[in-house]
Amino acid sequence: MGRAFVYVILGGGVAAGYAAHEFVKRGVEHGELCIISEEPVAPYERPALSKGYLLPEDSKKSFIVHRVLNFGQIRKSLIVESSMALATVELDMLAQEIGSRVCGGEDDPARLPAFHCCVGTNEERLTPKWYKEHGIELVLGTRVKSADVRRKTLLTATGETITYKILLVATGARALKLEEFGVKGSDAESVCYLRDLADANRLVNVMQSSSGGNAVVIGGGYIGMECAASLVINKINVTMVFPEAHCMARLFTPKIASYYEEYYQAKGVKFVKGTVLTSFDFDSNQKITAVNLRDGTRLPADMVIVGIGIRPNTSLFEGQLTLEKGGIKVNGRMQSSNSSVYAVGDVATFPVKISSETRRLEHVDSARKSARHAVAAIMEPEKTTDFDYLPFFYSRVFTLSWQFYGDSTGDVIHFGDFLGNSFGAYWVNNGHVVGSFLEGGTKEEYEAIAKITRLKPEIEDLTDLETQGLGFALTL
Ligand code: FDA
Ligand code: NAD
């Protein structure tokens, strides 16, 4: 049994959705393109899963929707008020995260089909009907269990062999399990990970049955921070546990981290730092009752969320493609060591021009843009130059919202009002600005920090940069 396609996208996440959109824009013919995904649904905007998806069902009663006219553009703010939390979410580029709840002025938690790709960039929503209308085969709920890049074939778990001329690998990543750190208990009912829709549905159920109870969040990275905020909004008491001295240690400076930690503490979140989970306590029904930490602390727990990092899904290609920094190594056209195989999104390690090194990025903007770029390189090779990507990360929790561009290397210059809600930082390496961070910025301010990070201006006097602060970016 088998089918043959010109183009196959392996994986059905964010990068797959944006790649499909780009294939259609560039005139792919009906029947030429196929997407194979282990997930049972068409590609969607994964960031929604730790934000709008986790809003409480009854939040509707207390939502107030404001529409704000700003600089001649219609922009909408959604103010989410509950007894525990106030969250302001600006529309513009982020409608995706809460899907039609914002787009349509509705106020339920985000659910599919509202946040299928490509609502994240305010483009059309690619529902299953869209794929059908464009003659794209969606092979859903199907895991590819082996790949042969020499024969250009993929073997699915259902026993089908699918052949391609060009393969786009968009397999993303999987959540690291506690077992990989020697701790047992991941399969317990109230231990939650968050990578896909099935995880998110499970998490919603566990949150609903833990209302008013205690949650322990393991990990102080993106999942930990965003889920902790959602737990608070769901009226669950939260303790965060992580091994580092402060949250978001991969990106935040201690000064930036302490702002967010104090904000979370004011919402009732407790932090236990510099230690890790060693075991769970269970009752006679195998329900978790507590977590035990290496430092001897025992924390009562009705539920646990684990966000301890990811591993890119490269195993199908080990020994067949060159791997680097944990991902599939690609060139500036997103082409791997096999010229018929391209890789994009979380699984790809690509040259980042502005930092003159290869990097693997685990963020949605990179997934979207690398996917579009690969398709351009496949469909119009002569017109496509090397990918020139400025790394961009962001997060939104409670009323807070930050953006970061570039590289977090070198000296850090903080600026702004750390007691208010608008502050930031520049990273200066070898005399040039290489990274910028801003909390609470306007659209124009975020654009300004992105621009200066790309321009990499020379900095002669760090004190002067500190004094000018955001003004430096705004006047450049
Ligand atoms: P993605 O993980 O989206 O998709 C991979 C796909 O491949 C999945 O459908 C998977 O099932 C499939 N697959 C894997 N192996 C397969 C196989 N063998 N056979 C068939 N299918 C297979 N980033 C950001 O910048 N801002 C944010 O706010 C967030 N928020 C956020 C929340 C949550 C909960 C998560 C988990 C992640 C984020 N991210 C984020 C990160 C962002 O979502 C991530 O970078 C992109 O989803 C990466 O897109 P990919 O398409 O590369 O992988
Ligand atoms: P992460 O890399 O952001 O954070 C992992 C955290 O795990 C570390 O900060 C550390 O505190 C903790 N940790 C590591 N080992 C541990 C251990 N043994 N015990 C306890 N804690 C340990 O990864 P994540 O938070 O799991 O996020 C997963 C992926 O989802 C990442 O790729 C991330 O980029 C993505 N994501 C991004 C966003 C966003 O960009 N806004 C939001 C959600 C998820």
Side-chain angles (χ1 to χ4, degrees):
M1 177 164 107
R3 280 181 279 182
F5 295 89
V6 181
Y7 310 108
V8 171
I9 301 172
L10 170 50
V14 173
Y18 281 77
H21 195 232
E22 194 65 30
F23 267 118
V24 167
K25 277 200 203 163
R26 289 176 187 269
V28 75
E29 301 284 335
H30 281 225
E32 284 187 335
L33 175 61
C34 158
I35 296 179
I36 313 172
S37 176
E38 195 168 4
E39 291 188 84
V41 293
Y44 58 88
E45 303 285 0
R46 198 165 303 281
L49 299 183
S50 53
K51 304 175 186 68
Y53 209 88
L54 302 183
L55 285 174
E57 289 284 345
D58 63 359
S59 51
K60 194 170 196 168
K61 298 185 196 103
S62 51
F63 285 169
I64 306 163
V65 177
H66 290 257
R67 289 171 185 238
V68 180
L69 203 61
N70 192 356
F71 299 110
Q73 280 180 305
I74 300 280
R75 297 172 76 192
K76 302 173 192 172
S77 284
L78 176 74
I79 298 184
V80 182
E81 280 188 89
S82 76
S83 54
M84 304 273 298
L86 176 77
T88 304
V89 187
E90 207 178 36
L91 185 72
D92 276 355
M93 52 179 292
L94 35 131
Q96 71 277 15
E97 280 152 19
I98 39 185
S100 70
R101 198 164 64 78
V102 172
C103 302
E106 294 164 19
D107 41 27
D108 290 322
R111 290 292 177 267
L112 285 174
F115 59 96
H116 278 300
C117 300
C118 302
V119 294
T121 46
N122 282 338
E123 291 167 280
E124 63 189 311
R125 188 157 49 104
L126 316 185
T127 57
K129 187 165 164 255
W130 180 91
Y131 293 93
K132 199 165 185 187
E133 281 167 3
H134 291 89
I136 299 169
E137 196 73 34
L138 272 185
V139 183
L140 301 178
T142 304
R143 187 173 60 85
V144 167
K145 64 174 195 183
S146 66
D148 185 333
V149 302
R150 204 171 47 80
R151 291 171 190 236
K152 301 189 179 182
T153 58
L154 303 172
L155 178 63
T156 71
T158 54
E160 185 179 7
T161 299
I162 295 184
T163 60
Y164 60 81
K165 289 205 168 88
I166 300 284
L167 176 67
L168 193 60
V169 183
T171 45
R174 64 170 180 85
L176 278 171
K177 291 281 164 96
L178 285 170
E179 280 70 8
E180 292 168 75
F181 296 89
V183 178
K184 291 196 197 96
S186 276
D187 51 353
E189 206 181 295
S190 49
V191 175
C192 302
Y193 290 82
L194 184 55
R195 183 70 203 179
D196 60 19
L197 204 60
D199 294 337
N201 285 332
R202 195 158 165 272
L203 176 53
V204 166
N205 288 336
V206 173
M207 280 199 306
Q208 280 168 357
S209 60
S210 305
S211 191
N214 298 311
V216 176
V217 173
I218 306 293
Y222 287 94
I223 292 283
M225 293 300 280
E226 293 187 4
C227 288
S230 295
L231 288 166
V232 169
I233 294 169
N234 280 276
K235 302 185 169 51
I236 297 169
N237 306 310
V238 184
T239 304
M240 293 188 68
V241 177
F242 48 84
E244 297 92 352
H246 63 76
C247 69
M248 293 289 296
R250 282 207 289 168
L251 180 66
F252 287 0
T253 65
K255 188 174 166 85
I256 293 176
S258 69
Y259 175 87
Y260 293 95
E261 288 179 9
E262 280 166 27
Y263 190 98
Y264 273 55
Q265 278 161 343
K267 298 276 180 199
V269 176
K270 297 187 184 75
F271 289 91
V272 181
K273 307 183 207 175
T275 189
V276 291
L277 169 77
T278 49
S279 65
F280 295 109
D281 286 352
F282 296 91
D283 66 13
S284 53
N285 297 320
Q286 286 307 301
K287 194 182 172 308
I288 283 184
T289 53
V291 303
N292 299 304
L293 308 182
R294 182 171 290 160
D295 69 359
T297 312
R298 182 176 179 275
L299 299 168
D302 299 294
M303 63 174 290
V304 175
I305 299 183
V306 183
I308 54 174
I310 61 169
R311 277 288 172 279
N313 291 319
T314 55
S315 60
L316 293 172
F317 302 99
E318 273 156 28
Q320 301 193 72
L321 302 176
T322 305
L323 303 184
E324 192 176 285
K325 297 182 180 168
I328 297 173
K329 185 183 181 185
V330 294
N331 61 21
R333 311 172 74 75
M334 313 311 289
Q335 193 172 30
S336 75
S337 53
N338 178 304
S339 61
S340 304
V341 182
Y342 291 70
V344 293
D346 281 11
V347 80
T349 301
F350 62 92
V352 175
K353 274 194 188 174
I354 98 153
S355 52
S356 310
E357 57 169 4
T358 61
R359 290 182 70 181
R360 198 180 55 71
L361 300 175
E362 300 172 355
H363 293 273
V364 74
D365 182 65
S366 153
R368 292 170 183 149
K369 289 181 178 154
S370 62
R372 289 203 184 283
H373 193 82
V375 176
I378 291 165
M379 302 276 282
E380 296 190 80
E382 65 296 335
K383 287 194 195 154
T384 307
T385 53
D386 281 352
F387 192 35
D388 187 7
Y389 183 68
L390 175 67
F392 166 46
F393 316 148
Y394 68 88
S395 184
R396 296 182 192 94
V397 285
F398 298 116
T399 51
L400 305 175
S401 169
W402 60 260
Q403 295 192 9
F404 169 85
Y405 294 88
D407 238 349
S408 53
T409 52
D411 296 324
V412 184
I413 306 300
H414 295 99
F415 61 79
D417 178 10
F418 275 76
L419 295 174
N421 63 356
S422 181
F423 60 87
Y426 297 115
W427 279 258
V428 179
N429 202 6
N430 294 324
H432 292 264
V433 172
V434 295
S436 324
F437 175 96
L438 184 61
E439 164 62 50
T442 62
K443 184 168 179 267
E444 292 70 24
E445 289 167 346
Y446 286 130
E447 281 168 7
I449 62 158
K451 189 173 160 202
I452 69 145
T453 312
R454 189 172 271 289
L455 288 173
K456 293 174 87 170
E458 190 171 358
I459 302 298
E460 281 168 13
D461 183 348
L462 294 181
T463 316
D464 186 39
L465 179 65
E466 188 173 12
T467 312
Q468 287 193 55
L470 183 58
F472 178 76
L474 290 169
T475 50
L476 200 75

